[in-house]
Amino acid sequence: QTVVTQEPSFSVSPGGTVTLTCGLTSGSVSTSYYPSWYQQTPGQAPRTLIYSTNTRSSGVPDRFSGSIVGNKAALTITGAQADDESDYYCVLYMGSGIYVFGTGTKVTVL
Amino acid sequence: EVQLVQSGAEVKKPGESLRISCKGSGYTFSSFWIAWVRQMPGKGLEWMGIIYPYDSDTRYNPSFQGQVTISADKSIRTAYLQWSSLKASDTAIYYCARPPNTSSARGGMDVWGQGTTVTVSS
């Protein structure tokens, strides 16, 4: 069974930079997995930040960026702000219309 | 404006049936796949399945195959998620979401519905 891994938690200082990753327990993540990233705060629907590896969704500030780093997908937040404190999820496309979500990363800004 | 608007919260008893909906607007509904995502209380997001309203081609997460049915009526721009016999473990928030590109299931999800809370309790 495919498991998509994310760091359980990360802490970043206001104004700092943090890179979250999204990997596979077996194999490497490439652009062929069309990695995408979502931000979710308690009680709210997910908000799309990045799709297809590095395309920012409409209205998303450019301090959020997506890439492939080594064998994982990555979401980098540059110049972290207090309202970036959220849960972040990645999802990978496995082919044939099938997706698998990552386990999620809780980001604290302090 | 592209929008997905979901039906309201539901409270049901175990064994009851249920269908929730997701209505698209602001785009050509039949040309974009629609996915369903579950979030159990205090837990992460789980991808359930996806449908292409144009021809009702449907793909399921094996974990949900046989447990739910995904359907769509392109004439009224609406996708559905239904259960024939609910269990307490179906208590969750259910989101619909749409990939970014016409006719392709790839790319992730770009547009989300507001979510439908389903509570199953005796």
Side-chain angles (χ1 to χ4, degrees):
Chain A
Q1 183 178 343
T2 301
V3 176
V4 177
T5 61
Q6 296 184 245
E7 298 86 358
S9 63
F10 248 119
S11 184
V12 60
S13 301
T17 296
V18 62
T19 296
L20 314 182
T21 69
C22 176
L24 288 167
T25 51
S26 178
S28 299
V29 177
S30 67
T31 56
S32 300
Y33 285 89
Y34 298 89
S36 52
W37 293 89
Y38 309 90
Q39 178 191 50
Q40 189 181 34
T41 51
Q44 299 296 314
R47 169 198 183 199
T48 301
L49 297 174
I50 301 287
Y51 61 86
S52 296
T53 306
N54 55 15
T55 302
R56 268 185 294 277
S57 188
S58 177
V60 174
D62 60 6
R63 57 197 185 77
F64 292 94
S65 61
S67 62
I68 301 290
V69 177
N71 61 351
K72 296 182 179 183
L75 173 72
T76 299
I77 308 172
T78 305
Q81 300 179 0
D83 60 4
D84 294 336
E85 189 161 292
S86 301
D87 294 325
Y88 291 82
Y89 295 92
C90 68
V91 75
L92 300 180
Y93 181 69
M94 299 301 177
S96 301
I98 306 295
Y99 285 87
V100 178
F101 276 97
T103 47
T105 298
K106 185 175 186 64
V107 171
T108 303
V109 180
L110 51 72
Chain B
E1 181 191 5
V2 175
Q3 274 191 311
L4 296 173
V5 178
Q6 298 185 230
S7 50
E10 302 274 2
V11 179
K12 292 288 191 180
K13 293 185 179 350
E16 292 186 330
S17 63
L18 174 65
R19 189 176 75 170
I20 62 175
S21 65
C22 169
K23 187 175 179 71
S25 63
Y27 70 98
T28 304
F29 180 79
S30 60
S31 297
F32 286 80
W33 292 74
I34 293 280
W36 287 96
V37 175
R38 183 175 80 174
Q39 189 167 39
M40 299 177 76
K43 302 297 184 182
L45 302 174
E46 298 174 272
W47 185 83
M48 301 177 70
I50 196 166
I51 187 166
Y52 188 46
Y54 178 78
D55 60 4
S56 292
D57 184 3
T58 308
R59 317 290 171 86
Y60 290 94
N61 177 336
S63 298
F64 292 93
Q65 180 94 46
Q67 308 304 307
V68 297
T69 300
I70 294 170
S71 60
D73 185 340
K74 61 186 178 184
S75 70
I76 55 171
R77 311 170 62 84
T78 301
Y80 301 100
L81 178 65
Q82 68 182 67
W83 296 259
S84 58
S85 180
L86 287 159
K87 308 187 241 331
S89 58
D90 292 318
T91 295
I93 301 173
Y94 294 88
Y95 296 100
C96 62
R98 194 205 78 173
N101 300 311
T102 303
S103 75
S104 174
R106 298 174 295 195
M109 272 62 78
D110 187 31
V111 181
W112 292 76
Q114 82 276 20
T116 296
T117 300
V118 174
T119 304
V120 183
S121 174
S122 53

